[in-house]
Amino acid sequence: MDLKIISTGSQGNAYILSNENEALLIECGVNIKEIKKALDFDLSKVVGCIVTHEHLDHSKSVSDVLDCGISVWTSHGTSKCLKLKTKRIPLLLTSKRTVKIGNFRIIPFDVKHDAAEPLGFLIYHPDCGKVLFLTDTYYCKYTFPGLNNIIIETNYSKEIIESKYGPDSDKEFLRNRILQSHFSLENCKGMLASNDLTQVNNIVLIHLSDSNSNEKQFHKEVSELTGKNVTVASNGMKINFNKTPF
């Protein structure tokens, strides 16, 4: 099983988990042409697309994905907010209710973001084990036993935010919006420390801010904390997702 990063960050988010037989699209916040290219223009093995929330950097091409005959799964609140340009409609997810999409088992869970009904995902497939997908939230109240791979937002550093948008700045609104909508380096490290990482092979850091993050610092701190294989995601990257550590 491989994780392919089509795009990550505020310009758009889209990821593919795939083996030789099937593929799951996670988010569709880029042009449909980029998704088709990443799939080598073979959509036949795509079993579905799961979308965390309605913001365009996560859902931009949802109508095009539906028109390609790919089932899209998202929450009721997100579905109501999507500006669909097709008669096809998404299938609905409910927090903590498992659905099976191909051979992928998905457990959605509620997160905290400035969106209608945002979700995170716990994904299971025999080839990659348990995969946590967590993005666009400022808090997660859950822990996840038996994880094998983790895809987690590390959007900003509180240190950088305070230095740029502190009390002496005139950008307090922007500061508060970031703090109340995205996962910081500190949040990420706290989340990882709260979970048993014994069986984890990969930790992939996604959705880094262009201006409020430090890629080398984030990689160093998460690597030192966990002792795991840590990758800072970049567009076009492919990562082997194994069920068990090397």
Tab-separated table of all heavy atoms in Angstrom, residues 96-138:
chain	number	residue	atom	x	y	z
A	96	LYS	N	-18.264	8.026	14.345
A	96	LYS	CA	-18.096	6.769	15.086
A	96	LYS	C	-18.929	5.608	14.537
A	96	LYS	O	-19.054	4.567	15.175
A	96	LYS	CB	-18.350	6.971	16.578
A	96	LYS	CG	-17.250	7.803	17.251
A	96	LYS	CD	-17.570	8.164	18.673
A	96	LYS	CE	-18.503	9.343	18.733
A	96	LYS	NZ	-18.669	9.888	20.088
A	97	ARG	N	-19.481	5.754	13.330
A	97	ARG	CA	-20.169	4.643	12.667
A	97	ARG	C	-19.315	4.167	11.495
A	97	ARG	O	-19.039	4.931	10.569
A	97	ARG	CB	-21.558	5.062	12.177
A	97	ARG	CG	-22.548	5.280	13.298
A	97	ARG	CD	-23.951	5.458	12.762
A	97	ARG	NE	-24.895	5.737	13.827
A	97	ARG	CZ	-26.190	5.993	13.633
A	97	ARG	NH1	-26.684	5.995	12.394
A	97	ARG	NH2	-26.984	6.240	14.659
A	98	THR	N	-18.935	2.913	11.525
A	98	THR	CA	-18.021	2.356	10.527
A	98	THR	C	-18.727	2.150	9.188
A	98	THR	O	-19.873	1.698	9.129
A	98	THR	CB	-17.468	1.006	11.016
A	98	THR	OG1	-16.830	1.185	12.274
A	98	THR	CG2	-16.469	0.428	10.021
A	99	VAL	N	-18.023	2.494	8.112
A	99	VAL	CA	-18.491	2.163	6.764
A	99	VAL	C	-17.381	1.399	6.056
A	99	VAL	O	-16.205	1.559	6.362
A	99	VAL	CB	-18.877	3.415	5.943
A	99	VAL	CG1	-20.038	4.149	6.591
A	99	VAL	CG2	-17.688	4.335	5.737
A	100	LYS	N	-17.758	0.560	5.111
A	100	LYS	CA	-16.790	-0.170	4.310
A	100	LYS	C	-16.837	0.353	2.887
A	100	LYS	O	-17.909	0.398	2.265
A	100	LYS	CB	-17.071	-1.674	4.337
A	100	LYS	CG	-15.940	-2.500	3.720
A	100	LYS	CD	-16.149	-3.988	3.923
A	100	LYS	CE	-14.948	-4.768	3.356
A	100	LYS	NZ	-15.159	-6.234	3.452
A	101	ILE	N	-15.684	0.769	2.381
A	101	ILE	CA	-15.566	1.283	1.025
A	101	ILE	C	-14.505	0.433	0.335
A	101	ILE	O	-13.317	0.549	0.631
A	101	ILE	CB	-15.160	2.770	1.020
A	101	ILE	CG1	-16.126	3.603	1.884
A	101	ILE	CG2	-15.112	3.307	-0.403
A	101	ILE	CD1	-15.706	5.058	2.055
A	102	GLY	N	-14.937	-0.463	-0.553
A	102	GLY	CA	-14.017	-1.467	-1.065
A	102	GLY	C	-13.551	-2.318	0.108
A	102	GLY	O	-14.355	-2.767	0.924
A	103	ASN	N	-12.241	-2.512	0.220
A	103	ASN	CA	-11.696	-3.244	1.368
A	103	ASN	C	-11.181	-2.306	2.458
A	103	ASN	O	-10.499	-2.751	3.386
A	103	ASN	CB	-10.574	-4.177	0.899
A	103	ASN	CG	-11.109	-5.372	0.127
A	103	ASN	OD1	-11.975	-6.086	0.607
A	103	ASN	ND2	-10.596	-5.573	-1.079
A	104	PHE	N	-11.501	-1.036	2.340
A	104	PHE	CA	-11.164	-0.056	3.371
A	104	PHE	C	-12.317	0.052	4.366
A	104	PHE	O	-13.479	0.194	3.968
A	104	PHE	CB	-10.926	1.328	2.756
A	104	PHE	CG	-9.726	1.420	1.861
A	104	PHE	CD1	-9.835	1.180	0.497
A	104	PHE	CD2	-8.476	1.763	2.368
A	104	PHE	CE1	-8.735	1.287	-0.342
A	104	PHE	CE2	-7.371	1.865	1.549
A	104	PHE	CZ	-7.497	1.626	0.186
A	105	ARG	N	-12.002	-0.027	5.639
A	105	ARG	CA	-12.983	0.251	6.693
A	105	ARG	C	-12.690	1.629	7.252
A	105	ARG	O	-11.559	1.910	7.679
A	105	ARG	CB	-12.931	-0.798	7.803
A	105	ARG	CG	-13.531	-2.120	7.445
A	105	ARG	CD	-14.041	-2.875	8.669
A	105	ARG	NE	-13.124	-2.834	9.793
A	105	ARG	CZ	-12.205	-3.746	10.058
A	105	ARG	NH1	-12.044	-4.776	9.250
A	105	ARG	NH2	-11.428	-3.643	11.116
A	106	ILE	N	-13.696	2.481	7.283
A	106	ILE	CA	-13.528	3.870	7.704
A	106	ILE	C	-14.364	4.124	8.947
A	106	ILE	O	-15.574	3.871	8.953
A	106	ILE	CB	-13.981	4.861	6.607
A	106	ILE	CG1	-13.516	4.423	5.218
A	106	ILE	CG2	-13.554	6.282	6.960
A	106	ILE	CD1	-12.056	4.495	4.979
A	107	ILE	N	-13.721	4.643	9.983
A	107	ILE	CA	-14.455	5.132	11.148
A	107	ILE	C	-14.252	6.648	11.196
A	107	ILE	O	-13.153	7.123	11.518
A	107	ILE	CB	-13.976	4.505	12.463
A	107	ILE	CG1	-14.072	2.979	12.419
A	107	ILE	CG2	-14.805	5.058	13.637
A	107	ILE	CD1	-13.528	2.297	13.667
A	108	PRO	N	-15.298	7.422	10.866
A	108	PRO	CA	-15.178	8.873	10.989
A	108	PRO	C	-15.321	9.289	12.451
A	108	PRO	O	-15.968	8.585	13.240
A	108	PRO	CB	-16.346	9.397	10.150
A	108	PRO	CG	-17.341	8.288	10.138
A	108	PRO	CD	-16.604	7.000	10.351
A	109	PHE	N	-14.712	10.389	12.819
A	109	PHE	CA	-14.866	10.914	14.176
A	109	PHE	C	-14.891	12.437	14.123
A	109	PHE	O	-14.327	13.061	13.226
A	109	PHE	CB	-13.752	10.401	15.099
A	109	PHE	CG	-12.357	10.695	14.627
A	109	PHE	CD1	-11.706	11.870	14.994
A	109	PHE	CD2	-11.678	9.791	13.812
A	109	PHE	CE1	-10.414	12.138	14.563
A	109	PHE	CE2	-10.384	10.056	13.379
A	109	PHE	CZ	-9.751	11.229	13.755
A	110	ASP	N	-15.575	13.036	15.088
A	110	ASP	CA	-15.762	14.482	15.093
A	110	ASP	C	-14.486	15.195	15.525
A	110	ASP	O	-13.756	14.730	16.391
A	110	ASP	CB	-16.923	14.876	16.011
A	110	ASP	CG	-16.766	14.296	17.420
A	110	ASP	OD1	-16.823	13.070	17.550
A	110	ASP	OD2	-16.556	15.080	18.368
A	111	VAL	N	-14.250	16.358	14.900
A	111	VAL	CA	-13.108	17.201	15.242
A	111	VAL	C	-13.600	18.640	15.407
A	111	VAL	O	-14.785	18.935	15.217
A	111	VAL	CB	-11.997	17.122	14.168
A	111	VAL	CG1	-11.453	15.707	14.063
A	111	VAL	CG2	-12.499	17.604	12.813
A	112	LYS	N	-12.677	19.549	15.752
A	112	LYS	CA	-13.035	20.941	16.026
A	112	LYS	C	-12.423	21.857	14.961
A	112	LYS	O	-11.208	21.999	14.874
A	112	LYS	CB	-12.516	21.352	17.412
A	112	LYS	CG	-13.019	20.491	18.554
A	112	LYS	CD	-14.496	20.673	18.781
A	112	LYS	CE	-14.975	19.887	20.003
A	112	LYS	NZ	-16.431	20.022	20.220
A	113	HIS	N	-13.278	22.463	14.152
A	113	HIS	CA	-12.811	23.348	13.084
A	113	HIS	C	-13.932	24.326	12.754
A	113	HIS	O	-15.091	24.099	13.127
A	113	HIS	CB	-12.433	22.515	11.853
A	113	HIS	CG	-11.723	23.267	10.778
A	113	HIS	ND1	-10.609	24.023	11.003
A	113	HIS	CD2	-11.978	23.369	9.439
A	113	HIS	CE1	-10.191	24.560	9.862
A	113	HIS	NE2	-11.012	24.174	8.900
A	114	ASP	N	-13.608	25.409	12.062
A	114	ASP	CA	-14.641	26.388	11.723
A	114	ASP	C	-15.368	25.958	10.448
A	114	ASP	O	-15.326	26.619	9.407
A	114	ASP	CB	-14.041	27.803	11.580
A	114	ASP	CG	-12.908	27.872	10.571
A	114	ASP	OD1	-12.413	26.805	10.153
A	114	ASP	OD2	-12.527	28.992	10.192
A	115	ALA	N	-16.040	24.836	10.560
A	115	ALA	CA	-16.798	24.249	9.458
A	115	ALA	C	-18.060	23.616	10.035
A	115	ALA	O	-18.223	23.514	11.250
A	115	ALA	CB	-15.948	23.207	8.729
A	116	ALA	N	-18.960	23.190	9.144
A	116	ALA	CA	-20.283	22.750	9.587
A	116	ALA	C	-20.247	21.482	10.435
A	116	ALA	O	-20.847	21.419	11.510
A	116	ALA	CB	-21.186	22.544	8.368
A	117	GLU	N	-19.589	20.446	9.942
A	117	GLU	CA	-19.528	19.164	10.661
A	117	GLU	C	-18.257	18.418	10.238
A	117	GLU	O	-18.312	17.402	9.554
A	117	GLU	CB	-20.767	18.318	10.350
A	117	GLU	CG	-20.924	17.102	11.251
A	117	GLU	CD	-22.134	16.247	10.873
A	117	GLU	OE1	-22.980	16.690	10.061
A	117	GLU	OE2	-22.226	15.111	11.383
A	118	PRO	N	-17.103	18.941	10.626
A	118	PRO	CA	-15.836	18.362	10.171
A	118	PRO	C	-15.549	17.008	10.804
A	118	PRO	O	-15.999	16.722	11.909
A	118	PRO	CB	-14.807	19.414	10.599
A	118	PRO	CG	-15.422	20.046	11.817
A	118	PRO	CD	-16.904	20.081	11.540
A	119	LEU	N	-14.770	16.215	10.079
A	119	LEU	CA	-14.451	14.865	10.525
A	119	LEU	C	-12.954	14.569	10.394
A	119	LEU	O	-12.261	15.171	9.575
A	119	LEU	CB	-15.206	13.830	9.678
A	119	LEU	CG	-16.734	13.831	9.744
A	119	LEU	CD1	-17.295	12.890	8.677
A	119	LEU	CD2	-17.241	13.438	11.127
A	120	GLY	N	-12.480	13.643	11.208
A	120	GLY	CA	-11.217	12.958	10.986
A	120	GLY	C	-11.559	11.529	10.633
A	120	GLY	O	-12.716	11.102	10.734
A	121	PHE	N	-10.555	10.751	10.215
A	121	PHE	CA	-10.820	9.384	9.787
A	121	PHE	C	-9.811	8.396	10.377
A	121	PHE	O	-8.607	8.657	10.380
A	121	PHE	CB	-10.747	9.270	8.264
A	121	PHE	CG	-11.710	10.157	7.529
A	121	PHE	CD1	-11.251	11.137	6.660
A	121	PHE	CD2	-13.082	10.028	7.706
A	121	PHE	CE1	-12.121	11.960	5.973
A	121	PHE	CE2	-13.975	10.855	7.031
A	121	PHE	CZ	-13.496	11.820	6.155
A	122	LEU	N	-10.337	7.273	10.859
A	122	LEU	CA	-9.517	6.113	11.180
A	122	LEU	C	-9.788	5.102	10.074
A	122	LEU	O	-10.921	4.661	9.891
A	122	LEU	CB	-9.875	5.539	12.543
A	122	LEU	CG	-9.012	4.375	13.035
A	122	LEU	CD1	-7.556	4.818	13.217
A	122	LEU	CD2	-9.550	3.811	14.338
A	123	ILE	N	-8.750	4.787	9.320
A	123	ILE	CA	-8.881	3.965	8.112
A	123	ILE	C	-8.167	2.636	8.340
A	123	ILE	O	-7.015	2.618	8.798
A	123	ILE	CB	-8.257	4.690	6.902
A	123	ILE	CG1	-8.901	6.069	6.708
A	123	ILE	CG2	-8.373	3.853	5.637
A	123	ILE	CD1	-8.102	6.999	5.810
A	124	TYR	N	-8.835	1.549	8.005
A	124	TYR	CA	-8.182	0.237	8.109
A	124	TYR	C	-8.227	-0.479	6.763
A	124	TYR	O	-9.253	-0.486	6.070
A	124	TYR	CB	-8.861	-0.657	9.153
A	124	TYR	CG	-8.266	-2.052	9.152
A	124	TYR	CD1	-7.057	-2.308	9.812
A	124	TYR	CD2	-8.864	-3.085	8.430
A	124	TYR	CE1	-6.481	-3.575	9.771
A	124	TYR	CE2	-8.291	-4.351	8.385
A	124	TYR	CZ	-7.097	-4.582	9.056
A	124	TYR	OH	-6.510	-5.821	8.992
A	125	HIS	N	-7.098	-1.057	6.404
A	125	HIS	CA	-7.014	-1.949	5.237
A	125	HIS	C	-5.982	-3.019	5.577
A	125	HIS	O	-4.983	-2.718	6.233
A	125	HIS	CB	-6.575	-1.164	3.998
A	125	HIS	CG	-6.666	-1.949	2.724
A	125	HIS	ND1	-5.727	-2.903	2.357
A	125	HIS	CD2	-7.587	-1.919	1.718
A	125	HIS	CE1	-6.075	-3.425	1.191
A	125	HIS	NE2	-7.194	-2.855	0.783
A	126	PRO	N	-6.201	-4.267	5.155
A	126	PRO	CA	-5.247	-5.320	5.499
A	126	PRO	C	-3.809	-5.009	5.091
A	126	PRO	O	-2.869	-5.467	5.752
A	126	PRO	CB	-5.789	-6.541	4.717
A	126	PRO	CG	-7.247	-6.277	4.568
A	126	PRO	CD	-7.377	-4.788	4.423
A	127	ASP	N	-3.619	-4.246	4.037
A	127	ASP	CA	-2.270	-3.974	3.537
A	127	ASP	C	-1.520	-2.895	4.328
A	127	ASP	O	-0.292	-2.880	4.336
A	127	ASP	CB	-2.310	-3.554	2.067
A	127	ASP	CG	-2.619	-4.719	1.142
A	127	ASP	OD1	-2.739	-5.853	1.643
A	127	ASP	OD2	-2.744	-4.488	-0.074
A	128	CYS	N	-2.260	-1.977	4.944
A	128	CYS	CA	-1.590	-0.879	5.659
A	128	CYS	C	-1.968	-0.804	7.127
A	128	CYS	O	-1.444	0.046	7.861
A	128	CYS	CB	-1.869	0.470	4.987
A	128	CYS	SG	-3.614	0.912	4.898
A	129	GLY	N	-2.855	-1.680	7.570
A	129	GLY	CA	-3.277	-1.639	8.968
A	129	GLY	C	-4.117	-0.408	9.265
A	129	GLY	O	-4.837	0.096	8.410
A	130	LYS	N	-3.983	0.090	10.484
A	130	LYS	CA	-4.760	1.247	10.922
A	130	LYS	C	-4.029	2.542	10.580
A	130	LYS	O	-2.885	2.734	10.988
A	130	LYS	CB	-5.008	1.198	12.431
A	130	LYS	CG	-6.029	0.175	12.872
A	130	LYS	CD	-6.273	0.308	14.376
A	130	LYS	CE	-7.277	-0.719	14.881
A	130	LYS	NZ	-7.489	-0.580	16.350
A	131	VAL	N	-4.721	3.410	9.869
A	131	VAL	CA	-4.171	4.703	9.469
A	131	VAL	C	-5.028	5.808	10.084
A	131	VAL	O	-6.249	5.837	9.891
A	131	VAL	CB	-4.169	4.859	7.931
A	131	VAL	CG1	-3.629	6.232	7.531
A	131	VAL	CG2	-3.363	3.753	7.271
A	132	LEU	N	-4.389	6.705	10.809
A	132	LEU	CA	-5.088	7.874	11.338
A	132	LEU	C	-4.915	9.031	10.373
A	132	LEU	O	-3.790	9.359	9.983
A	132	LEU	CB	-4.521	8.267	12.708
A	132	LEU	CG	-5.071	9.568	13.311
A	132	LEU	CD1	-6.561	9.437	13.615
A	132	LEU	CD2	-4.289	9.952	14.566
A	133	PHE	N	-6.029	9.652	9.977
A	133	PHE	CA	-5.983	10.863	9.149
A	133	PHE	C	-6.635	11.988	9.939
A	133	PHE	O	-7.837	11.972	10.201
A	133	PHE	CB	-6.727	10.661	7.826
A	133	PHE	CG	-6.618	11.854	6.901
A	133	PHE	CD1	-5.507	12.000	6.076
A	133	PHE	CD2	-7.608	12.827	6.866
A	133	PHE	CE1	-5.383	13.096	5.234
A	133	PHE	CE2	-7.493	13.928	6.035
A	133	PHE	CZ	-6.383	14.059	5.214
A	134	LEU	N	-5.817	12.977	10.326
A	134	LEU	CA	-6.295	14.057	11.191
A	134	LEU	C	-5.796	15.387	10.652
A	134	LEU	O	-4.587	15.635	10.584
A	134	LEU	CB	-5.791	13.843	12.619
A	134	LEU	CG	-6.224	14.877	13.670
A	134	LEU	CD1	-7.739	14.839	13.881
A	134	LEU	CD2	-5.507	14.614	14.989
A	135	THR	N	-6.731	16.252	10.260
A	135	THR	CA	-6.352	17.552	9.724
A	135	THR	C	-7.431	18.584	10.053
A	135	THR	O	-8.557	18.241	10.406
A	135	THR	CB	-6.130	17.482	8.199
A	135	THR	OG1	-5.539	18.708	7.733
A	135	THR	CG2	-7.438	17.254	7.446
A	136	ASP	N	-7.056	19.854	9.966
A	136	ASP	CA	-7.983	20.964	10.144
A	136	ASP	C	-8.828	20.822	11.414
A	136	ASP	O	-10.052	20.725	11.374
A	136	ASP	CB	-8.871	21.114	8.904
A	136	ASP	CG	-8.094	21.676	7.724
A	136	ASP	OD1	-7.110	21.048	7.296
A	136	ASP	OD2	-8.445	22.761	7.246
A	137	THR	N	-8.129	20.820	12.518
A	137	THR	CA	-8.765	20.807	13.827
A	137	THR	C	-7.802	21.443	14.824
A	137	THR	O	-6.595	21.448	14.597
A	137	THR	CB	-9.124	19.376	14.271
A	137	THR	OG1	-9.848	19.415	15.499
A	137	THR	CG2	-7.879	18.519	14.444
A	138	TYR	N	-8.341	21.999	15.882
A	138	TYR	CA	-7.456	22.548	16.913
A	138	TYR	C	-7.428	21.654	18.153
A	138	TYR	O	-6.714	21.931	19.104
A	138	TYR	CB	-7.850	23.974	17.296
A	138	TYR	CG	-9.250	24.129	17.872
A	138	TYR	CD1	-9.484	24.003	19.235
A	138	TYR	CD2	-10.330	24.447	17.051
A	138	TYR	CE1	-10.758	24.147	19.769
A	138	TYR	CE2	-11.611	24.598	17.568
A	138	TYR	CZ	-11.815	24.448	18.928
A	138	TYR	OH	-13.080	24.598	19.446
